[in-house]
Amino acid sequence: MISGGSGPEEDADEEIQDICESVKHVAEQRAGKSYNVFIARRYRSQVVCGINYFIKVHVGGNHHVHLRVHKSLPCHGEDLELTDMQECKTCHDPIEYF
């Protein structure tokens, strides 16, 4: 992957699910609702000054949200920050930069 470019969509793994769990409370605050289901399905990553993760998350029924989560570099503590969120997504919506 080229720095600044995003990689292909991949199936989410345990690491991606852990990232989602870390920012779930912030996503709920932004959406103004609680999610009983919050399962990472697919993701893309982008190497910047750290890593941006674009994650498709199943939130129940046929509903999904897309999260952009920034993970800082190890020298900056590898902190996670939910930097943006898109609601009203489906399982068929592609993960694109936002």
Side-chain angles (χ1 to χ4, degrees):
M1 180 178 359
I2 302 170
S3 180
S6 60
E9 275 194 37
E10 299 181 48
D11 289 333
D13 55 19
E14 187 175 331
E15 176 187 9
I16 300 303
Q17 182 63 43
D18 289 346
I19 290 170
C20 288
E21 292 297 329
S22 295
V23 299
K24 179 181 177 187
H25 67 284
V26 179
E28 290 175 329
Q29 287 175 346
R30 287 192 186 178
K33 59 180 110 175
S34 295
Y35 295 117
N36 293 326
V37 176
F38 205 74
I39 301 170
R41 295 292 189 199
R42 307 268 301 157
Y43 78 101
R44 296 178 77 166
S45 59
Q46 175 190 37
V47 176
V48 289
C49 186
I51 302 174
N52 283 329
Y53 292 98
F54 300 89
I55 309 168
K56 179 182 296 192
V57 181
H58 179 232
V59 293
N62 194 28
H63 306 286
H64 291 71
V65 296
H66 288 183
L67 308 178
R68 183 173 73 202
V69 179
H70 182 263
K71 182 177 182 180
S72 63
L73 293 169
C75 60
H76 297 291
E78 294 186 308
D79 294 327
L80 296 170
E81 177 187 3
L82 178 63
T83 55
D84 207 350
M85 177 176 172
Q86 295 179 330
E87 297 182 77
C88 302
K89 295 292 186 174
T90 71
C91 63
H92 302 294
D93 289 327
I95 303 170
E96 299 175 330
Y97 180 88
F98 60 96

